[in-house]
Amino acid sequence: MLKIEEVVKSFGGLTAVCECSLEVSEGAITGLIGPNGAGKTTLFNVITGHYKPERGRIIFQGEDINGLAPHKIFQRKIYRTFQITREFSQMTVIENLMFVPEGQVGERIWNTWFRPSAVWKQEKAIHEKAIEVLEFVELIDLKDEYAGSLSGGQKKLLELAKSLMADPKMVLLDEPGAGVNPTLMRKLIANIRKLCEEKKITFFLIEHDMDLVMSLCNPVIVMSEGKKLAEGTPEEIKKDERVLEAYLGGQYR
């Protein structure tokens, strides 16, 4: 579904992504692990158009998307979350979701004057979809709360809910488990699994929580010094000596 071919991205004299090549299969939950500074988040920024690589190609469903602006990447149904959640804190939870769908009729002010019924009809449909999504991720009881008042784990669930409003084909999650308590972590994992199985959404996620990665992801890709070091099933990665020594600290020996 996604192919990264010999991608290079540098910042001055620092090469953050160095001739990196990897693939993400459709329908999979693929994990991306590695130490801080391995180039994982930079790679996500390149994929989603925030950075333009010096060299290499990014192919999504057979189409070269290299160098496209972030909103063009979004239009191709690739949704991305960030390490630090980016909710609209002074808007309610449901308003955060209703903001996501693109091409809303009411975005043009004259439509509110000359096409009020079209605006109302679309807004009603978006509201109903937002309610359905919030029920799915079990945030429905917080729909009228300000997003800024949510806990860290609830904000991660909100980010997942926002991704569903975009009807994505692929979701890139940057450390979805960071700052999430065990109870919400279980809920987050269950939701990701359910979305992959029922909605056929492909996930590609960066994570430092090895328990989350090993229980949720297959395959797991290991990045080091800007390029792919290893790839395999969780069991294979657990037994890879280079990975054990460099990134897992021997906890799976």
Side-chain angles (χ1 to χ4, degrees), residues 1 23-31 169-171 192-193 195-197 200-205 216-220 231:
M1 190 175 198
E23 296 184 6
V24 177
S25 298
E26 185 171 1
I29 302 175
T30 301
K169 295 177 181 177
M170 175 178 281
V171 176
I192 293 171
R193 221 179 249 127
L195 289 171
C196 183
E197 293 171 358
K200 308 304 180 185
I201 297 173
T202 300
F203 286 89
F204 188 26
L205 63 95
L216 180 64
C217 302
N218 189 8
V220 177
E231 179 177 355

Side-chain angles (χ1 to χ4, degrees), residues 20 23 31 90 96:
C20 182
E23 296 184 6
Q90 296 303 309
N96 267 261

Side-chain angles (χ1 to χ4, degrees), residues 7 29 36 62 64 76 86 90-91 100 107 162-163 202:
V7 166
I29 302 175
N36 290 328
D64 192 336
R76 281 156 179 77
R86 299 191 175 189
Q90 296 303 309
M91 295 170 65
V100 174
E107 290 175 355
K162 286 164 64 179
S163 75
T202 300

Side-chain angles (χ1 to χ4, degrees), residues 22-73:
L22 56 86
E23 296 184 6
V24 177
S25 298
E26 185 171 1
I29 302 175
T30 301
L32 182 63
I33 67 173
N36 290 328
K40 305 181 300 296
T41 295
T42 299
L43 180 63
F44 268 28
N45 285 332
V46 170
I47 294 169
T48 53
H50 293 278
Y51 297 149
K52 187 173 181 178
E54 283 88 59
R55 295 199 306 276
R57 300 176 69 205
I58 302 165
I59 312 295
F60 181 69
Q61 293 191 314
E63 179 186 3
D64 192 336
I65 61 171
N66 187 32
L68 293 181
H71 72 281
K72 294 291 185 181
I73 303 293

Side-chain angles (χ1 to χ4, degrees), residues 149-219:
S149 69
L150 301 182
S151 70
Q154 290 167 338
K155 288 178 180 179
K156 291 295 176 75
L157 286 172
L158 176 60
E159 286 289 326
L160 193 61
K162 286 164 64 179
S163 75
L164 293 182
M165 294 298 293
D167 294 321
K169 295 177 181 177
M170 175 178 281
V171 176
L172 278 62
L173 301 173
D174 198 343
E175 296 194 38
V180 180
N181 68 49
T183 300
L184 286 177
M185 178 74 81
R186 288 191 292 272
K187 186 180 293 186
L188 185 66
I189 290 173
N191 278 319
I192 293 171
R193 221 179 249 127
K194 191 174 180 181
L195 289 171
C196 183
E197 293 171 358
E198 296 183 7
K199 305 286 187 180
K200 308 304 180 185
I201 297 173
T202 300
F203 286 89
F204 188 26
L205 63 95
I206 295 170
E207 186 53 69
H208 286 290
D209 186 319
M210 290 300 103
D211 290 330
L212 184 153
V213 171
M214 296 303 172
S215 66
L216 180 64
C217 302
N218 189 8

